[in-house]
Amino acid sequence: MQTSHFAARQFLPETIDLTDTAQLAPVFDRLAAKLDAIASVADLEGWLCDHGEVCAALAESSSLTYIAMTCQTDDEAREKAYMHIVEVVDPWLKPRQFALMRTLAQSPVFKQLPPFYAVYCRSVETQVKIYREENVARETAVAKLTQQYQKISGAMTVQFDGQEQTLARMGRIQEEPDRPRREAAWKTVTERRLQDTDKLEELFDQLLVLRNEIAQAAGFPDFRAYTFASYERFDYTPEDCLRFHDAVEHHVVPLARDLQEERRRKLGVEPLRPWDLAVDPDQRPPLHPFAESAELLEKCHQIFGKLDPRLGDYYQVLRKQELVDLDNRKGKAPGGYQSTLPEARVPFIFMNAVGVHRDVETMLHEAGHAFHALAARELPLHAYRSAPIEFCEVASMGMELLAAPHLRAFYSDDDAKRAQRDHLEGIIKFFPWMATVDAFQHWIYTHPGHTRDERAACWLSLMDRFGGIEDWSGFPKARAHIWHRQLHIFEIPFYYVEYGIAQLGALQLWQAARRDLPAALDHYLAGLSLGGSRPLPELFAAAGLAFDFTDKTIAPLMSNVKDALVELAT
Ligand SMILES: [Zn+2]
């Protein structure tokens, strides 16, 4: 990694140790004193620069420590450094940052800031409005319970093929062509999950109590209303989400069921069962896009360069400054992510490439996030250099779709078509699941005091409404508790619809690119360059997209996806 500060520090000493709260204390004292003395808009704008500089430096310190740890999890010193930030620095910072925000919101000059700051101001006002000292302990209790969820889930293993297996490894068997083997694996995993059903129900009941208390203490009628405020969902309401579910039911569910029927026919089974859903319906071996990660890096570079020279240049920044760690190796954390170094104002991409198609998807996705960070790096306000998640995922999911016609960099014509088809089918499958998970939580948090049986009944009715055609006979209890697998429901309530909203943006972008690619890319980059400086509907509009999740947008998108699937099948 070769980085330097995007702009020289004006307020923070160059030599400060940002993990030492004794050195941070005078910095926050100075910020507080300067804020108290503010007399004009110019003073306040200067203060926002100073505060942004401190926030960026702290966030970069935290990002670098996290990156270092995930690149080498078996290095104790790295883990200790990261835990120090989580356990010491962050809890020390939180009340001090909140105190600054409260003083800021009360300052008469705050109300006089020009319109450019509107999005920032409403965020500050909301943070101040919902904060309650008494909720801090409840949030800690919630965090501990969600850790337990991770522990219970992470501890699940089964005996299969004569040895102990994780559920992640068992998941891969679902892609194998041998049907009796898939069935045996599925049943083994399902039985194992059912052993913890009561434990997870108990845990969830405790979470519900705490979450309802948090909402009440903050003065909200229920936890849904509280969450919409705390996630700063200013531009859509719970009712908009309910309408989104309806549109998914009418326009996506039939398409998803048709695809399952086609799968059933190709597999030659009757009926389709839960262990028939992940295998390739044509029983082909998995795709093999590359052997070495250097090849992944180079071929993605070709794709981006072909799409638009500006994207090629952005990607060159990543390569030149060595802002990627791609290879899977012992000691590396699993998965992939894109992180930002806010002081250098550059992105960093982490993944575990092993030569499967998923690696190509991850790279295209994370590169979309990286382009977002680079496109927004010139914005003057630190808070504006990142966007709300509903739009961030348009940058990444949109890039997956924009790059899809160039997959021949990795594949033969047939395999490239297969990859594109799988991608579109995956998008279709995702929407009904998203609607199920989201609708379930709308019901849960607006029906306090419900029983476990009522909760299971609600879930089952949603499975009927949005689910597939596969036959679950013999497994009613498993079907009623599938939601136990969805960690968001336990850990990040209501956080899931964002992906649905973003995917609609990404599909619109894909549609626009099929009509006029250069214009779509201009719009894409124009939207990205705004960072988080505008409300969501304006970010979407700048990218040439409608911020709308009703039939009006979804119906034509789905009909286009359907046409594309037919084209790709021939
Ligand atoms: Zn993403």
Side-chain angles (χ1 to χ4, degrees):
M1 214 186 279
Q2 295 172 16
T3 63
S4 54
H5 300 169
F6 182 83
R9 286 181 182 173
Q10 306 288 327
F11 182 78
L12 262 184
E14 276 298 336
T15 52
I16 190 170
D17 177 354
L18 293 159
T19 63
D20 180 359
T21 53
Q23 294 186 45
L24 286 172
V27 170
F28 277 80
D29 290 346
R30 270 168 63 211
L31 279 172
K34 270 188 99 169
L35 187 56
D36 282 336
I38 276 170
S40 67
V41 166
D43 286 352
L44 185 48
E45 289 187 296
W47 185 88
L48 289 171
C49 279
D50 294 342
H51 181 247
E53 184 183 302
V54 173
C55 292
L58 285 166
E60 178 155 321
S61 152
S62 170
S63 288
L64 286 171
T65 315
Y66 180 75
I67 291 168
M69 177 186 70
T70 52
C71 286
Q72 206 66 59
T73 53
D74 47 11
D75 180 338
E76 257 176 58
R78 294 182 185 209
E79 190 185 343
K80 230 175 116 188
Y82 182 68
M83 288 320 288
H84 173 75
I85 290 189
V86 172
E87 288 173 358
V88 179
V89 182
D90 282 348
W92 184 91
L93 282 171
K94 249 188 202 167
R96 279 164 185 83
Q97 289 281 29
F98 174 72
L100 289 175
M101 290 303 106
R102 191 173 44 200
T103 312
L104 174 64
Q106 285 163 356
S107 151
V109 183
F110 180 70
K111 304 264 183 289
Q112 297 159 19
L113 281 169
F116 173 75
Y117 294 94
V119 169
Y120 177 71
C121 290
R122 71 178 183 176
S123 165
V124 169
E125 280 164 348
T126 306
Q127 290 171 41
V128 172
K129 186 181 149 212
I130 68 171
Y131 184 86
R132 296 289 183 282
E133 195 77 53
E134 58 181 296
N135 275 342
V136 175
R138 292 192 182 104
E139 273 154 12
T140 310
V142 164
K144 279 191 181 148
L145 286 171
T146 58
Q147 256 174 0
Q148 282 216 339
Y149 171 77
Q150 289 180 354
K151 257 197 193 148
I152 295 170
S153 310
M156 286 187 198
T157 59
V158 294
Q159 284 293 323
F160 202 80
D161 282 344
Q163 52 176 315
E164 191 181 15
Q165 312 262 11
T166 62
L167 299 198
R169 279 177 61 185
M170 290 298 286
R172 275 192 237 153
I173 299 177
Q174 293 306 307
E175 295 172 26
E176 295 180 12
D178 181 345
R179 195 179 193 216
R181 184 171 152 79
R182 288 202 307 270
E183 179 176 351
W186 187 89
K187 285 180 174 165
T188 306
V189 168
T190 298
E191 275 160 28
R192 176 62 191 87
R193 287 190 186 279
L194 285 175
Q195 284 173 22
D196 284 329
T197 300
D198 290 343
K199 232 191 265 178
L200 289 172
E201 287 284 302
E202 174 62 39
L203 186 75
F204 193 69
D205 282 337
Q206 291 176 34
L207 282 168
L208 281 186
V209 170
L210 283 164
R211 285 176 178 153
N212 286 329
E213 285 175 8
I214 288 171
Q216 266 167 16
F220 288 86
D222 56 49
F223 185 71
R224 180 175 71 173
Y226 170 82
T227 305
F228 270 66
S230 75
Y231 288 179
E232 304 188 2
R233 292 180 176 177
F234 302 115
D235 306 299
Y236 60 99
T237 63
E239 289 67 37
D240 290 328
C241 295
L242 298 179
R243 274 192 289 274
F244 189 8
H245 308 156
D246 287 340
V248 168
E249 180 183 4
H250 295 131
H251 301 289
V252 192
V253 170
L255 196 52
R257 289 180 181 159
D258 285 351
L259 287 172
Q260 279 199 328
E261 176 53 27
E262 189 185 315
R263 157 180 291 275
R264 189 198 64 71
R265 260 198 332 267
K266 282 186 171 175
L267 288 173
V269 298
E270 174 61 43
L272 199 67
R273 304 289 326 240
W275 46 88
D276 296 323
L277 305 181
V279 62
D280 180 59
D282 295 311
Q283 320 253 359
R284 290 163 296 189
L287 292 166
H288 271 302
F290 60 89
E292 301 286 332
S293 68
E295 206 181 328
L296 173 67
L297 200 62
E298 176 55 33
K299 286 185 172 167
C300 284
H301 204 163
Q302 289 169 18
I303 291 178
F304 295 132
K306 253 190 237 165
L307 268 176
D308 192 310
R310 290 168 291 182
L311 299 179
D313 290 348
Y314 282 153
Y315 200 72
Q316 179 62 21
V317 173
L318 288 176
R319 291 187 75 173
K320 209 171 142 212
Q321 299 191 31
E322 297 166 18
L323 300 167
V324 291
D325 188 331
L326 304 184
D327 281 311
N328 173 258
R329 60 172 182 271
K330 191 168 168 283
K332 206 169 158 181
Y337 64 80
Q338 188 271 145
S339 176
T340 306
L341 308 179
E343 211 175 9
R345 301 193 200 172
V346 292
F348 176 83
I349 294 180
F350 174 98
M351 58 186 284
N352 279 280
V354 289
V356 296
H357 180 64
R358 178 96 197 104
D359 298 334
V360 177
E361 291 174 340
T362 303
M363 179 54 117
L364 298 174
H365 181 100
E366 305 305 344
H369 286 310
F371 299 155
H372 205 173
L374 289 169
R377 72 197 300 218
E378 307 271 352
L379 285 162
L381 196 61
H382 165 68
Y384 282 174
R385 279 175 232 133
S386 54
I389 190 84
E390 293 89 341
F391 192 65
C392 287
E393 292 296 324
V394 174
S396 55
M397 292 170 167
M399 189 42 65
E400 287 182 61
L401 283 161
L402 289 176
H406 297 283
L407 285 173
R408 267 164 303 177
F410 291 99
Y411 298 121
S412 67
D413 275 2
D414 280 354
D415 281 353
K417 277 185 181 177
R418 173 182 167 192
Q420 285 189 72
R421 217 185 126 87
D422 286 354
H423 183 190
L424 291 176
E425 285 192 15
I427 292 173
I428 293 169
K429 276 190 242 170
F430 165 74
F431 280 109
W433 178 249
M434 178 282 299
T436 312
V437 169
D438 196 50
F440 184 53
Q441 299 186 86
H442 280 260
W443 183 89
I444 283 176
Y445 292 105
T446 51
H447 291 76
H450 64 256
T451 66
R452 290 180 189 177
D453 283 347
E454 285 166 339
R455 186 156 72 216
C458 167
W459 175 260
L460 286 170
S461 76
L462 291 168
M463 288 287 288
D464 290 340
R465 185 176 165 206
F466 297 110
I469 61 166
E470 77 276 13
D471 178 1
W472 280 79
S473 350
F475 308 98
K477 197 177 172 200
R479 187 169 184 248
H481 296 96
I482 306 174
W483 61 273
H484 284 180
R485 284 186 230 167
Q486 190 68 47
L487 87 104
H488 299 74
I489 298 176
F490 287 82
E491 292 188 18
I492 341 169
F494 285 106
Y495 183 99
Y496 210 57
V497 73
E498 285 91 338
Y499 294 112
I501 294 170
Q503 192 63 271
L504 290 180
L507 284 172
Q508 290 180 69
L509 187 68
W510 166 77
Q511 198 172 244
R514 277 154 63 95
R515 280 194 307 266
D516 183 347
L517 179 65
L521 282 160
D522 281 347
H523 270 124
Y524 174 79
L525 286 168
L528 265 51
S529 71
L530 291 174
S533 64
R534 305 282 167 80
L536 273 173
E538 289 181 34
L539 295 176
F540 272 66
L545 316 168
F547 185 72
D548 171 82
F549 8 119
T550 64
D551 301 84
K552 200 176 83 190
T553 300
I554 297 181
L557 283 178
M558 285 305 131
S559 122
N560 281 340
V561 171
K562 203 173 164 178
D563 292 346
L565 283 173
V566 173
E567 277 169 40
L568 290 166
T570 51

